[in-house]
Amino acid sequence: VSNYFLAVGENGIIFKTEDMSSCAQRISGTSNHLNGVIFLNNQYIIVGNSGTILVSSDGGNTWSSKTSGTSQDLMAILYENNTYVVVGRSGTILISSDGETWLSKTSGISQDLYGIAYGLNTFVAVGMEGVIITSTDTNTWIKRSSGIHFSINDVIYKTD
């Protein structure tokens, strides 16, 4: 099957379905909540609580755990500019070129990050208390003012 949905959630749950009429549960190997998933280069990468990173190269049927180097909850994942970027609690930012080896980057903030996007040659991460941080290279992150103190849960860049 080449076209299907893959859904992730609480207690390590992974579901795969072609048409939403029936779902096949996959064994993730973790009971941690899973928060984000991406598919690229014939591999899935899932991020979740307690630093969980799972990778599958067989269509989401079997999963292997990768070392993230953090115990923070990981909330979202993005691939742009030849780099995977993961954001999470307490300003956590991880990057990888291959989805296998992960490096921690300093965000300069302590607020939780919930979403990540890329546009205009800039990574944009958003989160708790209206926090917005940006980076052009994933090494240096700059805090921006949103003017609000409510959480920003996600971000996307739209092109024409």
Side-chain angles (χ1 to χ4, degrees):
V1 176
S2 60
N3 296 315
Y4 49 86
F5 294 96
L6 193 76
V8 302
E10 292 185 1
N11 300 312
I13 205 85
I14 301 173
F15 281 108
K16 185 175 177 180
T17 179
E18 293 175 46
D19 57 9
M20 302 307 292
S21 64
S22 66
C23 293
Q25 185 173 348
R26 298 295 182 235
I27 304 299
S28 67
T30 184
S31 60
N32 292 329
H33 293 354
L34 303 176
N35 302 316
V37 60
I38 192 170
F39 179 79
L40 186 69
N41 298 327
N42 292 317
Q43 101 177 341
Y44 283 100
I45 301 176
I46 294 174
V47 297
N49 286 7
S50 302
T52 299
I53 297 179
L54 304 175
V55 176
S56 174
S57 299
D58 67 357
N61 293 313
T62 59
W63 296 89
S64 62
S65 179
K66 301 300 172 187
T67 301
S68 67
T70 184
S71 61
Q72 294 291 336
D73 295 348
L74 305 176
M75 304 306 291
I77 183 169
L78 172 78
Y79 182 86
E80 287 292 342
N81 208 24
N82 299 315
T83 305
Y84 291 96
V85 181
V86 172
V87 297
R89 303 250 187 240
S90 300
T92 298
I93 297 178
L94 304 176
I95 66 163
S96 175
S97 61
D98 60 8
E100 301 281 326
T101 304
W102 295 88
L103 300 172
S104 178
K105 294 295 177 173
T106 301
S107 65
I109 62 161
S110 59
Q111 292 94 337
D112 297 346
L113 294 170
Y114 302 133
I116 180 86
Y118 183 83
L120 302 175
N121 299 313
T122 303
F123 292 92
V124 177
V126 298
M128 193 169 134
E129 299 173 351
V131 72
I132 300 172
I133 58 173
T134 63
S135 177
T136 56
D137 62 7
T138 70
N139 290 312
T140 303
W141 292 84
I142 299 168
K143 186 174 180 180
R144 307 293 182 174
S145 175
S146 68
I148 64 170
H149 296 285
F150 300 103
S151 290
I152 303 172
N153 293 325
D154 210 351
V155 60
I156 190 168
Y157 179 74
K158 184 221 178 270
T159 59
D160 289 331

